[in-house]
Amino acid sequence: MTVTGQTAGTGEPVDGRSLRRAFLASLSGTALEWYDFAAYSVAAATLFGTLFFPSGDELAGTMAAFSTYAVGYLARPLGGFVFGRLGDRLGRKRVLVLTLLLTGTATFLIGVLPTYGSIGGFAAVLLVLLRFAQGVGIGGEWGGAVLLSSEFGDPRRRGFWASAAQIGPPAGNLLANGVLGVLALALTEAQFNSWGWRVAFLLSGVLVGFGLWIRLKLEETPVFQRLAAQGDRSSAPISEVFRLEWRALLAAIFVRVCPDVLYALFTVFVLTYMTSELKMPRGEGLAAVMIGSALQLVLMPAAGALSDRVNRRKLYLIGTIAAGVWPFVFFPMVSGGSFAAVLVGVVLALVIHALLYGPQAALVTEQFSERLRYTGSSLAYTLAGVIGGALAPLLFTALLAGFGSWVAIALYLAVTAVVSLVGVWLARDPEDQLVS
């Protein structure tokens, strides 16, 4: 039996194969790009401070490594501006092939990059440039990946279909942490620090090939095909978003800030906190993050589907409040250095993140009109990344060093929760765009 669904804005039935292929294309591409990003994040938290930014001060090396982590976020708006505009002008599929190639190539080149010990400070310059390219690619990826799946699906199930792109980060994070964890266990510390970490980055070449195979087989979304046939494509989508849909842009930016900071805290900085403050083995932190990420693979589409049945804004409101409160529970709970406590704390934090991140794609994209969706969603995603995720690890490290306490970190996350609550208030309900 062939499963069909109604495509957003067309009223035409779409066969189940196209729906499943669009879902897989969205998921596989974002998983690959977040594998690349997560591999760098873990390496920045544990290795790159020594390999590319050596100094006598461990804190200074970590801060420098996290600075290049931030570069990836700071580069995203450029990707959002360039590829978002192209996505609304040329189509979703073409742009997503370009973003996949850009991010995958940059990650592969990091795997063969000489370190400070070989070419001195020029190694750090090259690392920053490649990290910048990663960020540009991901900046153009997210908006298109969300539309790729959601514009093939029934708008009444937009939360579920759009969640395909949201599964990418935990899938990529799980894969990256798994590869690095296996390498760390299989190799001596000297071997891992010398060449073992490179394997994780070189594997991106295989993943790029698979992602391209999936995306090249997919047709353009029916929504964009209709817009093109009607000649209803914006000639200046960026300026139109800022002029005509500025409230939607603000709402979409604000709702993303808290989840980004929450994710950075419990997948990146938590590794540094465990090793430096709690004196726990690096492998235990990686294990906790991997288990939480594995659960997110199921929880994110479930949360997206739940948001199709209950009010999406109210569900997001509950998740945001939980995110703002959780650090005040987590840090006292793990103060004794117990792996069980860290595991429970990280997993529950990522459950809260899934409650937010699963419906987030639908909540963001439905703020914008069809003809400006790629541009508006990409700008919101990338600009929020600069405000939230880009600076988070740096600020976490600086706050801990400056105040010597986790309280400042928890307060910082609470402030971002307030920002996202304002975004929920500004956002319109999904029912306002049910047929588009």
Side-chain angles (χ1 to χ4, degrees):
M1 182 176 67
T2 301
V3 180
T4 61
Q6 190 180 64
T7 301
T10 67
E12 297 296 328
V14 176
D15 66 275
R17 176 180 293 182
S18 295
L19 287 171
R20 291 189 295 271
R21 185 177 292 170
F23 193 91
L24 180 59
S26 178
L27 189 160
S28 62
T30 53
L32 165 64
E33 300 204 359
W34 276 94
Y35 168 86
D36 298 345
F37 222 66
Y40 186 94
S41 300
V42 174
T46 57
L47 286 172
F48 282 177
T50 301
L51 294 176
F52 292 94
F53 307 94
S55 73
D57 187 340
E58 182 179 350
L59 173 62
T62 301
M63 290 287 284
F66 278 153
S67 295
T68 58
Y69 174 86
V71 165
Y73 278 92
L74 295 174
R76 288 185 185 184
L78 177 59
F81 275 85
V82 173
F83 292 117
R85 181 182 185 280
L86 291 176
D88 280 326
R89 293 288 301 152
L90 303 179
R92 301 10 175 166
K93 173 184 172 178
R94 294 181 186 178
V95 172
L96 287 173
V97 169
L98 294 176
T99 59
L100 188 66
L101 283 171
L102 178 60
T103 306
T105 302
T107 305
F108 183 86
L109 291 177
I110 290 176
V112 297
L113 189 64
T115 62
Y116 183 92
S118 299
I119 60 174
F122 191 54
V125 174
L126 292 176
L127 181 65
V128 170
L129 290 175
L130 291 173
R131 179 63 171 170
F132 187 86
Q134 272 189 327
V136 171
I138 290 184
E141 164 73 19
W142 186 83
V146 169
L147 298 183
L148 194 64
S149 56
S150 65
E151 288 187 346
F152 270 97
D154 187 335
R156 290 167 296 186
R157 299 190 63 200
R158 183 180 288 142
F160 171 75
W161 289 114
S163 72
Q166 306 302 80
I167 304 171
N173 192 43
L174 180 64
L175 185 58
N177 278 283
V179 169
L180 287 168
V182 169
L183 289 170
L185 290 173
L187 304 174
T188 66
E189 185 172 357
Q191 290 173 326
F192 182 80
N193 292 344
S194 175
W195 58 267
W197 61 271
R198 296 181 181 276
V199 176
F201 291 89
L202 296 175
L203 282 175
S204 65
V206 177
L207 298 175
V208 166
F210 176 75
L212 285 175
W213 177 69
I214 293 293
R215 288 189 173 181
L216 290 173
K217 290 173 66 70
L218 191 68
E219 295 182 359
E220 183 56 75
T221 71
V223 170
F224 184 80
Q225 289 184 45
R226 176 170 52 80
L227 290 172
Q230 295 174 349
D232 192 21
R233 288 176 291 178
S234 171
S235 59
I238 295 175
S239 63
E240 282 197 43
V241 168
F242 282 105
R243 283 190 300 107
L244 304 177
E245 302 192 9
W246 59 268
R247 175 169 176 154
L249 182 61
L250 284 179
I253 290 172
F254 287 174
V255 298
R256 280 193 38 81
V257 172
C258 179
D260 268 12
V261 175
L262 180 71
Y263 195 71
L265 175 58
F266 287 101
T267 61
V268 179
F269 181 76
V270 71
L271 302 176
T272 299
Y273 186 81
M274 287 180 61
T275 56
S276 63
E277 297 297 315
L278 302 180
K279 308 302 179 185
M280 298 177 66
R282 178 176 59 191
E284 291 186 356
L286 291 172
V289 172
M290 286 176 63
I291 292 171
S293 296
L295 287 175
Q296 286 192 316
L297 297 178
V298 177
L299 292 175
M300 282 186 179
L306 179 62
S307 75
D308 290 326
R309 296 180 176 274
V310 302
N311 185 276
R312 201 160 3 253
R313 290 171 65 210
K314 291 181 180 178
L315 182 64
Y316 210 88
L317 177 71
I318 295 170
T320 302
I321 293 173
V325 170
W326 185 244
F328 293 96
V329 178
F330 172 79
F331 284 106
M333 183 172 71
V334 303
S335 60
S338 164
F339 171 66
V342 169
L343 176 62
V344 172
V346 170
V347 167
L348 288 180
L350 294 181
V351 168
I352 295 170
H353 180 260
L355 188 64
L356 289 166
Y357 208 65
Q360 185 187 95
L363 182 63
V364 167
T365 57
E366 65 200 4
Q367 301 305 308
F368 302 98
S369 58
E370 286 181 348
R371 62 199 298 273
L372 300 174
R373 271 186 189 160
Y374 202 138
T375 300
S377 300
S378 296
L379 291 178
Y381 176 77
T382 57
L383 293 174
V386 173
I387 299 171
L391 301 178
L394 281 170
L395 288 176
F396 291 148
T397 305
L399 289 171
L400 184 62
F403 292 91
S405 169
W406 58 265
V407 176
I409 295 173
L411 288 172
Y412 167 43
L413 184 55
V415 169
T416 68
V418 173
V419 172
S420 288
L421 289 175
V422 173
V424 174
W425 176 73
L426 288 172
R428 57 181 172 179
D429 279 320
E431 289 80 5
D432 296 337
Q433 278 206 345
L434 187 60
V435 296
S436 64

